[in-house]
Amino acid sequence: MLGNGVVGILSESVNKWERRVPLTPSHCARLLNGGKDKTGVARIIVQPSTKRIHHDALYEDVGCEISEDLSECGLIVGVKQPKIEMIFPDRAYAFFSHTHKAQKENMPLLDKILAEKCSLYDYELIVGDHGRRLLSFGKFAGRAGMTDFLSGLGQRYLGLGYSTPFLSLGASHMYTSLAAAKSAVISVGEEIATLGLPSGICPLVFIFTGSGNVSLGAQELFKLLPHVFVEPSKLPEIFAKANDSSQPKSKRIFQVYGCFVTSEDMVEHKDPAKRFDKADYYAHPEHYNPVFHKKIAPYASVIVNCMYWEKRFPRLLSTQQLQDLMRQGCPLVGISDITCDIGGSIEFVDQSTSIDSPFFRYDHLNNSYHHDMEGNGVICLAVDILPTEFAKEASQHFGDILSEFIGSLASTIDIKKLPSHLSRACIVHRGALASLYEYIRRMRNSDSEDTVDNHGNSPSKKKKNYNILVSLSGHLFDQFLINEALDIIEDAGGSFHLVKCQLGQSIGATSYSELEVGADDGAVLDQIIDSLTSLANPKENNGIQSKKGNGISLKVSKVQESGLKKESETKSTSAVLIIGAGRVCQPAAELLASVGSILSRQWLKTCMENNFEGHCIQVLVGSLFRKDAEEIVEGIPNAVAIQLDVMNRESLHKYISEVEIVISLLPASFHIHVANACIELKKHLVTASYVDDSMSKLNEKAKSAGITILGEMGLDPGIDHMLAMKMINEARARKGKIKSFTSFCGGLPSPAAANNPLAYKFSWSPAGAIRAGRNPATYKSQGEILNVDGDNLYDSAVRFRVPDLPAFALELLPNRNSLVYGDLYGIANEASTIFRGTFRYEGFGKIMGTLARIGLFSAEAHPILKNGKRPTFRMFLCEILKVDSKNMDETLKEEKGISERILSLGFCKEQETATSAAKTIVIWCFYIMK
């Protein structure tokens, strides 16, 4: 069947928006009308589709056959990968497969192709003599991403109170053609040139990153607006002119600015004496510090991100950097992350969006995400299939190139007879990995303890006596140097385990791999490192190191257990599933994965009676976004990342069935779904949340299933409940009665570290701590029920001195409703006092109470739209302290001025409290909310 000249075109099934085709009707017409002798194509069979950009009838008109059945086709082509059931024996396939760096999520597809003895050509690997990919949609991603963002920009500005010409733009897919979309952008540009933009949003500066087709496509649309491109060094000057009070102010601005930045503008060498060197930066990014947030971002209105990024490089913009910039008044309105690199160069872009709903809003004040265009923060576009919005033109461009290759792929059986650019793109030929891609098998085997290679030899995957971490970067895959590196390791008798692999997104970009290399002999390991070093730095015939190099840089670092003698080969293994990828997840995964290792045994013996020697735990970390899970498990042995949607019953049951215990670190509302699955599959469950009513109702079901469901058992609630019940039960065992129950706790800095006016430091969300201090409280004291309003909670603090520690002066604050614990502990009818509270160092309540009365904890204290303006924290403070804005700086520049205003307005009576409150305000004003 292979090479019979019959071509099949798949109907795309991966995404509902995917309307592109690999070959248009006009391409098919040329292939069919040219005759098989010239084109290599005898017939073309097209699977029917009602959403494809070109209707079935158009294919029929040019001589194609329409049929669901592609079994007669020797070559089957698509844009995205087909369903596994569409893989027939002895066929050739061509599509974007995403398999050539052994991506785990696509290995089932690769295994099917191998099993059916098929051939696989990957478009991404078809490279011309110039070293660039021949088949890509890059410019169309940039064009669609820019059009979509300009449309969203109009909506965002409207939400901020500005009407702009951008509001008339639609999303890319709303236009019948790319030309129509460009025409709409040109109309917007004409309106800007004629009527201008509001001066309140100008200078409007677009920052472009990346130099490939994606960036060029985005700039192509941007240049349809009246614009001026400026050098990065000129950005401060533009803003200085705009803010120059001596110059006459224009009410309207008639142009926008563009600025293209490179790596040199994003980082600087850690050694001030050294200048930026691109080759050195790519080889040793650890030598450089990020400066984009200092030099470029403060002047950006829009960041159009088109750059390739790897984890080893500094981020373009971290979440903390963005938060700091926005608090300092940065004009950034939004980000068009056309690369859609989730959690990548722009850290807070932690989710992809869809063509249906292309934007989310990141609120930097609350570190929260929203899907509207109004409120604090920046809007972000992160659609991962942008080219399909211009499906007609993208397909035409793609097919113009692919149609030149189709005949060779359709009529050739022996890949040796293919042109080199096609033979090098063949990952699998007739059921076997091509020699260039043999590394895929070896990389997969390195992750498996039980895999046997094609020669029947068990791979040496057992932990070696000597291990070291080797980082390789460069043109590993496009020049296939990865094969040479693995040959060096295995030929010397060593082993390797793939820790990380990141592939360059274009042929000009480098790739990066981390390998844990092991050997039973230290001398052998040294030999391997020497050989890898020679591969990275080859010498010429005269023995002098080649200036050209081999396209690889190498870095060696220690493995945590380097040099340790190998452990017991007969370990028993348990599996744990952790669901969620928040901050709590990584230490939990590290702790569990380390059980059974030499380094963990000492601390285990100190807290557990069980002996875990000879036992290890396999940890699965599941997240809705696989990349989040991969970041968590990075560098953790025995830990694997999986994509898991707990609302998908089939997927949830699949992974729970593979483990002994499930740990859910999801928001509490999701626990019920996980718990029901655990009961059905008889698997234990641990959560980090309070046990609510929905979970409590599962008690009998869990008992019947013979499993344990364990909720939060920390300090509060948790240990306090256990100690309380222990004391109550012991008292009753002695025929005693509970007359009074008082419980309080708190997290305090040590006295030496309590070095701010509040004598307190936030170990959890500051906003959460403030909200907790605004909750009403109810408790019983000497038989009397007392209620404290939330507005007066801080003023209700009671001074308390620890009997054995007289130097510690504390105060107690009642903690919400204490009465419920009377019923919980069975003491409601006998205890005349029931009080649960929180303690702080003395003075905390007075200061916080004063700040509450001022109004600093009210909703109005946050920057909101007011009279068409967005007030700063200092402006708000001026208003509530009744300070004239002209004298604002004079009043706020020192604590004395603020404390006098607090006293004069009657917010407190003591000078000491007023002074402490003023100090706290100054800290917040000048360090947190400038």
Side-chain angles (χ1 to χ4, degrees):
M1 192 66 69
L2 188 69
N4 68 354
V6 182
V7 178
I9 298 179
L10 291 161
S11 62
E12 302 296 329
S13 57
V14 172
N15 187 291
K16 76 171 185 178
W17 281 97
E18 188 53 79
R19 300 184 298 149
R20 289 173 291 178
V21 294
L23 296 169
T24 68
S26 61
H27 295 130
C28 294
R30 287 197 292 271
L31 290 168
L32 292 171
N33 294 336
K36 184 181 179 182
D37 292 341
K38 290 184 178 180
T39 66
V41 176
R43 298 163 59 198
I44 298 177
I45 303 175
V46 181
Q47 277 193 323
S49 172
T50 54
K51 68 175 182 179
R52 189 186 284 125
I53 191 64
H54 296 292
H55 303 305
D56 295 346
L58 296 177
Y59 284 98
E60 281 187 302
D61 290 344
V62 299
C64 296
E65 303 166 40
I66 307 299
S67 174
E68 288 282 0
D69 184 8
L70 300 183
S71 60
E72 295 183 61
C73 304
L75 172 68
I76 298 175
V77 298
V79 176
K80 299 292 189 179
Q81 67 186 58
K83 295 177 180 178
I84 287 184
E85 56 265 29
M86 288 305 302
I87 305 300
F88 303 123
D90 192 33
R91 298 328 195 264
Y93 288 84
F95 51 87
F96 287 107
S97 73
H98 304 296
T99 59
H100 68 290
K101 64 172 182 177
Q103 294 100 312
K104 291 181 180 179
E105 63 271 21
N106 290 325
M107 288 304 96
L109 175 66
L110 185 64
D111 287 338
K112 179 69 171 177
I113 288 171
L114 289 166
E116 298 293 350
K117 300 189 181 305
C118 297
S119 297
L120 170 62
Y121 297 90
D122 194 312
Y123 300 141
E124 194 173 354
L125 303 175
I126 300 178
V127 178
D129 295 335
H130 47 63
R132 294 185 178 276
R133 283 172 50 187
L134 297 178
L135 285 166
S136 70
F137 293 102
K139 277 193 176 181
F140 289 95
R143 291 161 176 161
M146 194 67 202
T147 305
D148 288 356
F149 188 83
L150 291 176
S151 173
L153 189 63
Q155 298 175 50
R156 176 57 175 163
Y157 274 136
L158 188 66
L160 296 176
Y162 295 98
S163 176
T164 66
F166 300 119
L167 193 59
S168 64
L169 270 177
S172 302
H173 67 87
M174 297 178 178
Y175 298 101
T176 57
S177 65
L178 173 60
K182 284 185 173 182
S183 177
V185 176
I186 290 171
S187 296
V188 170
E190 290 173 347
E191 189 171 351
I192 293 174
T194 305
L195 302 176
L197 293 167
S199 60
I201 64 173
C202 294
L204 187 55
V205 178
F206 290 74
I207 304 295
F208 294 88
T209 68
S211 57
N213 283 331
V214 176
S215 183
L216 293 175
Q219 292 179 52
E220 178 184 318
L221 269 291
F222 170 78
K223 290 176 181 178
L224 300 177
L225 304 174
H227 68 279
V228 174
F229 264 92
V230 297
E231 293 296 320
S233 60
K234 297 294 184 182
L235 291 174
E237 182 180 323
I238 291 173
F239 274 78
K241 286 182 179 179
N243 296 321
D244 187 353
S245 58
S246 65
Q247 299 294 323
K249 297 291 184 182
S250 174
K251 292 183 179 180
R252 307 291 290 182
I253 308 298
F254 301 90
Q255 66 180 14
V256 296
Y257 291 92
C259 180
F260 171 71
V261 297
T262 65
S263 300
E264 188 172 3
D265 306 302
M266 302 173 192
V267 296
E268 64 182 12
H269 204 286
K270 290 181 178 179
D271 184 348
K274 294 184 178 181
R275 300 187 64 180
F276 174 85
D277 180 270
K278 186 175 181 179
D280 178 60
Y281 174 57
Y282 276 89
H284 300 286
E286 69 275 7
H287 293 170
Y288 292 80
N289 287 324
V291 295
F292 180 84
H293 65 292
K294 297 178 182 178
K295 292 173 55 178
I296 307 296
Y299 310 104
S301 306
V302 175
I303 296 174
V304 185
N305 189 31
C306 311
M307 65 181 280
Y308 169 71
W309 182 81
E310 297 171 6
K311 291 181 182 178
R312 61 196 184 99
F313 294 113
R315 292 187 190 275
L316 185 70
L317 204 58
S318 72
T319 301
Q320 185 61 56
Q321 288 166 355
L322 174 82
Q323 292 171 347
D324 292 342
L325 283 166
M326 298 302 288
R327 291 189 184 108
Q328 294 162 13
C330 174
L332 185 64
V333 176
I335 292 171
S336 181
D337 193 356
I338 301 177
T339 62
C340 197
D341 189 7
I342 305 305
S345 57
I346 299 178
E347 184 180 15
F348 56 89
V349 180
D350 73 340
Q351 56 192 278
S352 62
T353 56
S354 65
I355 294 175
D356 314 68
S357 179
F359 290 92
F360 67 83
R361 175 173 58 86
Y362 173 71
D363 183 344
H364 60 282
L365 293 176
N366 299 309
N367 191 31
S368 58
Y369 294 83
H370 309 271
H371 290 276
D372 57 38
M373 287 289 191
E374 298 183 18
N376 296 311
V378 296
I379 59 169
C380 301
L381 177 141
V383 178
D384 58 3
I385 53 168
L386 285 166
T388 196
E389 293 198 75
F390 290 130
K392 187 180 297 182
E393 291 84 358
S395 298
Q396 184 67 41
H397 164 79
F398 193 82
D400 286 345
I401 302 167
L402 179 61
S403 59
E404 298 297 321
F405 311 145
I406 283 293
S408 296
L409 297 177
S411 60
T412 302
I413 297 176
D414 185 358
I415 62 169
K416 294 179 181 178
K417 296 181 180 180
L418 286 173
S420 60
H421 60 276
L422 294 181
S423 62
R424 285 167 64 91
C426 182
I427 296 177
V428 177
H429 182 57
R430 309 203 82 164
L433 287 167
S435 58
L436 292 176
Y437 300 95
E438 176 62 21
Y439 65 82
I440 295 177
R441 175 187 61 80
R442 298 153 80 178
M443 288 165 67
R444 294 181 71 185
N445 285 353
S446 81
D447 282 334
S448 171
E449 294 289 336
D450 303 317
T451 306
V452 177
D453 65 22
N454 291 342
H455 302 291
N457 300 318
S458 296
S460 51
K461 303 299 180 294
K462 297 174 182 177
K463 193 74 172 179
K464 299 290 187 178
N465 291 343
Y466 299 88
N467 299 277
I468 203 160
L469 191 66
V470 175
S471 302
L472 296 170
S473 63
H475 295 280
L476 304 176
F477 297 92
D478 50 330
Q479 296 180 14
F480 301 100
L481 295 172
I482 188 69
N483 284 323
E484 295 185 46
L486 301 185
D487 285 342
I488 287 171
I489 297 169
E490 293 186 339
D491 290 348
S495 68
F496 69 91
H497 169 70
L498 183 68
V499 177
K500 184 192 303 181
C501 182
Q502 295 173 338
L503 193 71
Q505 293 183 341
S506 68
I507 198 65
T510 58
S511 299
Y512 176 71
S513 289
E514 281 186 9
L515 305 172
E516 184 179 335
V517 179
D520 287 328
D521 189 308
V524 172
L525 187 60
D526 291 340
Q527 176 193 335
I528 292 172
I529 298 305
D530 289 343
S531 298
L532 289 174
T533 303
S534 297
L535 176 65
N537 304 293
K539 295 182 179 180
E540 297 175 347
N541 294 334
N542 57 10
I544 300 174
Q545 183 175 312
S546 170
K547 292 182 180 179
K548 187 175 181 181
N550 206 1
I552 293 181
S553 67
L554 176 143
K555 184 171 67 174
V556 175
S557 55
K558 292 180 180 179
V559 178
Q560 189 175 12
E561 299 181 16
S562 178
L564 294 176
K565 293 297 180 183
K566 57 186 174 184
E567 304 176 34
S568 170
E569 307 290 0
T570 57
K571 288 186 175 181
S572 60
T573 303
S574 300
V576 174
L577 170 63
I578 303 177
I579 310 177
R583 293 182 179 179
V584 178
C585 183
Q586 189 166 32
E590 288 176 345
L591 184 67
L592 289 168
S594 70
V595 170
S597 70
I598 291 174
L599 298 178
S600 73
R601 288 176 194 153
Q602 187 173 359
W603 69 260
L604 278 170
K605 288 177 181 177
T606 64
C607 58
M608 298 182 184
E609 295 180 0
N610 301 57
N611 182 5
F612 282 88
E613 188 167 354
H615 187 94
C616 67
I617 294 178
Q618 175 73 44
V619 179
L620 276 69
V621 176
S623 173
L624 184 59
F625 300 104
R626 186 186 179 90
K627 274 198 170 183
D628 292 343
E630 288 175 343
E631 288 185 3
I632 293 295
V633 304
E634 184 179 340
I636 303 177
N638 302 329
V640 177
I642 60 171
Q643 191 277 333
L644 175 59
D645 180 358
V646 296
M647 303 307 290
N648 183 322
R649 187 179 185 277
E650 182 179 352
S651 179
L652 182 64
H653 277 60
K654 174 183 181 296
Y655 287 112
I656 290 179
S657 66
E658 296 174 0
V659 302
E660 282 73 43
I661 298 175
V662 179
I663 300 174
S664 176
L665 300 177
L666 296 169
S669 60
F670 289 97
H671 293 330
I672 188 67
H673 304 288
V674 181
N676 281 318
C678 286
I679 289 171
E680 185 174 339
L681 297 170
K682 294 181 169 55
K683 305 292 184 178
H684 302 295
L685 172 64
V686 178
T687 80
S689 301
Y690 299 165
V691 177
D692 60 17
D693 290 341
S694 64
M695 294 291 282
S696 295
K697 291 176 181 177
L698 299 179
N699 187 45
E700 292 305 319
K701 288 185 179 180
K703 287 180 179 179
S704 299
I707 68 166
T708 297
I709 299 180
L710 188 64
E712 179 174 331
M713 197 175 59
L715 171 63
D716 172 23
I719 294 173
D720 58 340
H721 292 321
M722 297 177 199
L723 292 176
M725 290 306 302
K726 181 176 183 291
M727 295 167 65
I728 291 169
N729 290 338
E730 287 176 349
R732 285 177 171 160
R734 298 179 184 181
K735 308 301 182 183
K737 289 188 177 182
I738 309 302
K739 293 184 176 181
S740 174
F741 175 83
T742 304
S743 170
F744 49 88
C745 68
L748 297 178
S750 67
N755 52 7
N756 62 48
L758 288 173
Y760 182 75
K761 293 185 177 179
F762 293 106
S763 60
W764 56 306
S765 165
I770 290 172
R771 281 195 297 268
R774 306 289 289 158
N775 288 324
T778 302
Y779 61 95
K780 183 163 68 169
S781 177
Q782 301 299 319
E784 182 182 358
I785 305 298
L786 301 177
N787 294 293
V788 181
D789 187 85
D791 291 334
N792 300 314
L793 184 73
Y794 287 121
D795 295 316
S796 69
V798 178
R799 191 173 187 275
F800 174 79
R801 191 171 293 277
V802 181
D804 298 329
L805 299 170
F808 283 77
L810 304 177
E811 59 187 33
L812 299 182
L813 294 163
N815 189 356
R816 291 185 279 195
N817 186 3
S818 297
L819 300 184
V820 296
Y821 295 95
D823 295 326
L824 183 65
Y825 299 154
I827 59 174
N829 297 326
E830 56 185 294
S832 60
T833 295
I834 301 176
F835 177 92
R836 293 183 84 251
T838 304
F839 60 70
R840 296 282 184 263
Y841 282 124
E842 185 180 23
F844 179 90
K846 285 186 177 181
I847 298 170
M848 294 293 278
T850 298
L851 299 180
R853 284 191 296 277
I854 288 176
L856 292 185
F857 303 149
S858 63
E860 290 79 12
H862 298 284
I864 56 171
L865 285 174
K866 188 173 184 180
N867 299 326
K869 296 182 179 179
R870 184 175 294 275
T872 63
F873 176 78
R874 296 171 74 231
M875 290 170 62
F876 171 81
L877 190 61
C878 238
E879 182 176 330
I880 60 177
L881 292 178
K882 308 294 189 256
V883 178
D884 191 292
S885 59
K886 295 179 181 179
N887 302 322
M888 176 175 65
D889 289 336
E890 189 67 28
T891 303
L892 299 183
K893 73 179 181 180
E894 57 181 21
E895 298 150 10
K896 186 177 179 182
I898 298 176
S899 65
E900 288 178 350
R901 296 300 298 173
I902 290 173
L903 281 171
S904 67
L905 293 170
F907 291 124
C908 71
K909 297 179 180 179
E910 302 88 353
Q911 178 67 55
E912 182 180 356
T913 304
T915 300
S916 296
K919 287 181 178 178
T920 305
I921 289 171
V922 169
I923 291 172
W924 287 357
C925 189
F926 289 97
Y927 291 96
I928 301 175
M929 306 176 77
K930 294 181 184 179

